[in-house]
Amino acid sequence: MPASPVLADALAPTTTPGMAAIVIRDLRAEPELVAGVRVINTTDRVRPGDRWHLGSDGKAMTATLIARLVEAGALAWDTPLSRMLPDLADGMQPQYRDVTLPDLLSHRAGLPENIVDEQVFTRFYTDTAPPRAQRLRYITACLKDPPIGPARAASHYSNTGPIIAGVIAERVANQSFEELIAAQVFAPLGMSSVTFVQAGGPGEPHGHVDGRDANRPQDINPPIIVPAGGMRMSMRDWSRFCIDHLAGARGAGRLLKPDTYRFLHAPQWVSDTGTGWALGWGVNPHPMNLRGPALTHSGSDGNWMALVCLFPDTGNGVIVAANAAESMKGDDATKSALKALAPTVAEPLPAQPAH
């Protein structure tokens, strides 16, 4: 397949090996765009259907799973953490005891971004216990970390919040997070390419870091991180999830009730600039100086980069992924591609009169 000129132009000034994108227009995915190579210093071209690591773009998927469990009556949005994890209540910081699922999923629990003691995180690279047991031990340690801000005040971005929500889901369903989200979110939408193995295999794009293939054991995150962003999938499958949320904003989503989509998309906190955090989504009134509002997010494990920008009012959007991150200017490449493609699905803001 010929390389997309838009993506090729975005890749050209960077060292990022490859990229893919899909434009969504009126709830329909257009043909996938691709450019570049799967692995650096090879001629193995990126192909439509390849799988890409989405990093924290998976947080919206975790929030959707939690919403499914709330609608089923297995969880409630207003239950305090001390009641959802009663055996951990005595050991957690007092502030965390009354935080709720929306707090965890919108970065408003006051939790640090990751566990403070990096040595604890490192131990999970060699842990052979099932991921469900590892995650429980991990959050037990995380909940002892002092908060970095008050709960339900300004958002403080945290990977720990979605991981805690994932453990809560595992407990009420008595299934691993991986099994649960596959059954509750991916299967109903026909998302058959999803894997929780974060490194690309033979005949797939590989992540890259520091100018090389990210193929060393500690290049990727351990499985504890999956609820915060450990899914890899085709762009077509990612578009299926995004289209469901766009349709949900119109009252026609397949996974959730209309009110639940509205709740997931509503900002829990808004900054002075008008941007903020909803449940698993960022919200932006005017992304890239385009007419919004938009649901946005970026994701990276340090080896990949993925960006999403959805416009619920029009049913349009753009998703972009690359097989390198900031250290190889993957962030520049994906941002350049997004800035080139988003104006094709969203109107620019009116020019401000000169004073």
Side-chain angles (χ1 to χ4, degrees), residues 95 98-100 103 108-110 150-154 269:
Q95 172 174 305
D98 70 344
V99 304
T100 61
D103 300 330
R108 299 185 70 225
R152 289 173 292 280
W269 171 80

Coordinates of all heavy atoms in Angstrom, one line a residue, residues 95 98-100 103 108-110 150-154 269:
Q95 N -7.0 10.1 53.6 CA -7.7 10.9 52.5 C -8.3 9.9 51.5 O -9.3 10.2 50.9 CB -6.7 11.8 51.8 CG -7.3 12.5 50.6 CD -6.4 13.5 49.9 OE1 -6.0 14.5 50.6 NE2 -6.1 13.4 48.7
D98 N -12.3 7.9 51.4 CA -13.6 8.3 50.9 C -13.6 8.7 49.5 O -14.6 9.2 48.9 CB -14.2 9.4 51.8 CG -13.5 10.7 51.6 OD1 -12.4 10.7 51.1 OD2 -14.1 11.8 52.0
V99 N -12.5 8.4 48.7 CA -12.5 8.7 47.3 C -13.4 7.7 46.6 O -13.6 6.6 47.1 CB -11.1 8.8 46.7 CG1 -10.2 9.8 47.4 CG2 -10.5 7.4 46.7
T100 N -13.9 8.1 45.5 CA -14.9 7.2 44.7 C -14.3 6.9 43.3 O -13.3 7.4 42.9 CB -16.2 8.0 44.6 OG1 -16.0 9.2 43.8 CG2 -16.8 8.3 45.9
D103 N -13.5 9.8 41.2 CA -12.3 10.5 41.6 C -11.1 9.7 41.0 O -10.1 10.3 40.5 CB -12.2 10.5 43.1 CG -13.3 11.2 43.8 OD1 -13.8 12.2 43.2 OD2 -13.6 10.9 44.9
R108 N -8.6 12.7 40.4 CA -9.0 13.7 41.5 C -9.0 13.0 42.9 O -9.6 13.5 43.8 CB -10.3 14.3 41.2 CG -10.4 15.1 39.9 CD -11.7 15.8 39.7 NE -11.9 16.9 40.6 CZ -13.0 17.1 41.3 NH1 -14.0 16.4 41.2 NH2 -13.0 18.2 42.1
A109 N -8.2 12.0 43.0 CA -8.1 11.3 44.3 C -6.9 11.9 45.1 O -6.8 11.6 46.3 CB -7.9 9.8 44.1
G110 N -6.1 12.7 44.5 CA -4.9 13.2 45.2 C -3.7 12.2 45.1 O -2.7 12.4 45.8
P150 N -5.3 17.6 47.7 CA -6.6 17.2 48.3 C -7.4 16.5 47.3 O -7.3 16.7 46.1 CB -7.2 18.5 48.8 CG -6.6 19.5 47.9 CD -5.2 19.1 47.7
A151 N -8.2 15.6 47.8 CA -9.2 14.9 46.9 C -10.3 15.9 46.4 O -10.6 16.8 47.1 CB -9.9 13.7 47.7
R152 N -10.7 15.6 45.2 CA -11.8 16.4 44.6 C -11.5 17.9 44.4 O -12.3 18.7 44.4 CB -13.1 16.2 45.3 CG -13.7 14.8 45.0 CD -14.9 14.4 45.9 NE -14.5 14.4 47.3 CZ -14.0 13.3 47.9 NH1 -13.7 12.2 47.1 NH2 -13.7 13.3 49.1
A153 N -10.2 18.2 44.3 CA -9.7 19.6 44.0 C -9.2 19.5 42.6 O -9.8 18.9 41.7 CB -8.7 20.0 45.0
A154 N -8.1 20.2 42.3 CA -7.5 20.1 41.0 C -7.1 18.7 40.7 O -6.7 17.9 41.6 CB -6.3 21.1 40.9
W269 N -13.4 18.2 36.5 CA -12.6 19.4 36.9 C -12.2 20.1 35.6 O -11.9 19.5 34.6 CB -11.4 18.9 37.6 CG -10.4 20.0 37.9 CD1 -10.4 21.0 38.9 CD2 -9.2 20.3 37.2 NE1 -9.3 21.8 38.8 CE2 -8.6 21.4 37.7 CE3 -8.6 19.7 36.0 CZ2 -7.4 22.0 37.3 CZ3 -7.4 20.3 35.6 CH2 -6.8 21.4 36.2

